[in-house]
Amino acid sequence: MDELDTKQPQDGALLVTPDATKAASKTDGAAGDGKAEDAAELLDEILEMMDLDVEVLIREDDERVVLDVEGEDAGRVIGKKGQTLDALQFLLNKILNRYPDGRRHIIVDSGDYRERHDKGLENLARREAKRAVAEGRVVTLQPMSARDRRVIHLSLAKFEGVTTASQGKGTQRRIQIIPARRGGRRR
Amino acid sequence: MDAVDAMRDLVAFLARSLVDDPEAVEVAVVEGDRAWVLELSVAEEDLGKVIGKEGRTARAIRTLLASMSARSGKRAVLDILE
């Protein structure tokens, strides 16, 4: 009897409901190092100094921290071509990952902006790759960030008949889409 | 609060968060012909921290300032004193 009585509460404490376990595992391990909360707080502080009316939500999994900025001024937080979003993300990572221990990549997003942006890049890549093949000449894209170039390189990795390369330095680095056969249909 | 003060505060806040010696961070506001100039000074060893590789950190700070400028109509540029 006594044994049972002392065991039961212990079992109860260990065997939490599946939902609670899920919630707990979200705050344990990699996802529970407080980094997401630190990042959200810091971003919130910066956005408040910029006098932007938004709130910061945390979308987190084991590998990455995604901060989702929502609200009336979300468009301003994204900025022209996502420039402001990228600047915020860059600074946040610089500040929070200053020390080698516990580094985690932080992504700043607003709704599905990054997903839509990547889809747009993939469409552009496909369209320009078709053109490179049809015209049989190298197509050079606008300068892009390393991240955006990577999206394009990856999306064209399996595209028949073209290879990709990067050319130029720093902010002027551009993707070149190179057709396997130059001169197009004539050859 | 005045828009320029808010921009100065943001630059100071970011710089202090980036450097090893936050007490050495100072931001002076200078009125220029076409824009306010925010003159940022940091400890010599921290210069690289606020400028960044290929100037990326400074560029990110400038992007945020540009966003604030666009809204308030008061233009401010960042000058990192070396």
Side-chain angles (χ1 to χ4, degrees), chain B residues 1-74:
Chain B
M1 190 173 38
D2 188 54
V4 180
D5 289 338
M7 291 190 240
R8 183 201 55 211
D9 288 353
L10 180 70
V11 169
F13 174 79
L14 291 172
R16 287 194 187 109
S17 307
L18 288 160
V19 300
D20 289 331
D21 183 3
E23 285 183 9
V25 171
E26 277 174 38
V27 185
V29 183
V30 181
E31 194 175 352
D33 287 343
R34 295 171 162 197
W36 298 85
V37 182
L38 303 176
E39 293 182 345
L40 170 65
S41 50
V42 299
E44 209 183 326
E45 314 85 69
D46 282 329
L47 258 180
K49 294 233 165 63
V50 290
I51 295 172
K53 218 192 293 168
E54 288 175 23
R56 283 188 74 187
T57 308
R59 192 158 58 237
I61 298 173
R62 290 191 173 106
T63 301
L64 300 192
L65 287 180
S67 166
M68 291 176 84
S69 293
R71 184 175 211 184
S72 64
K74 289 215 172 173

Side-chain angles (χ1 to χ4, degrees), chain A residues 103-172:
Chain A
R103 270 192 190 152
R104 277 174 83 197
H105 188 55
I106 297 147
I107 293 160
V108 181
D109 201 353
S110 179
D112 60 353
Y113 175 79
R114 298 232 178 251
E115 196 186 323
R116 276 188 290 124
H117 174 73
D118 287 358
K119 286 250 166 68
L121 287 176
E122 285 160 14
N123 288 338
L124 169 90
R126 236 184 343 261
R127 201 167 60 233
E128 295 303 316
K130 279 180 190 160
R131 196 158 74 89
V133 171
E135 296 178 9
R137 58 180 191 86
V138 175
V139 173
T140 305
L141 304 181
Q142 294 295 310
M144 281 172 201
S145 68
R147 190 201 159 274
D148 286 2
R149 291 198 311 272
R150 200 166 76 94
V151 172
I152 293 192
H153 283 307
L154 289 173
S155 76
L156 291 182
K158 286 181 195 153
F159 193 100
E160 291 280 328
V162 298
T163 54
T164 56
S166 290
Q167 172 224 22
K169 280 191 174 170
T171 53
Q172 288 308 302

Side-chain angles (χ1 to χ4, degrees), chain A residues 174-186:
Chain A
R174 300 152 178 261
I175 285 208
Q176 290 188 311
I177 305 176
I178 304 152
R181 285 188 303 166
R182 305 281 173 108
R185 288 158 184 156
R186 278 167 288 153

Side-chain angles (χ1 to χ4, degrees), chain A residues 24-87:
Chain A
S25 73
K26 271 215 161 178
T27 51
D28 281 344
D33 57 6
K35 203 109 195 182
E37 289 74 16
D38 288 351
E41 202 172 307
L42 179 62
L43 180 59
D44 201 48
E45 204 164 347
I46 293 170
L47 294 171
E48 202 166 312
M49 293 181 106
M50 294 175 72
D51 197 24
L52 294 167
D53 182 12
V54 282
E55 67 175 323
V56 178
L57 308 165
I58 300 171
R59 299 197 303 242
E60 185 180 21
D61 59 35
D62 286 342
E63 285 151 43
R64 38 180 233 168
V65 173
V66 180
L67 300 179
D68 182 9
V69 181
E70 304 261 12
E72 199 175 317
D73 287 330
R76 283 185 184 278
V77 175
I78 295 169
K80 212 190 298 167
K81 288 185 186 171
Q83 276 173 357
T84 310
L85 210 58
D86 287 341

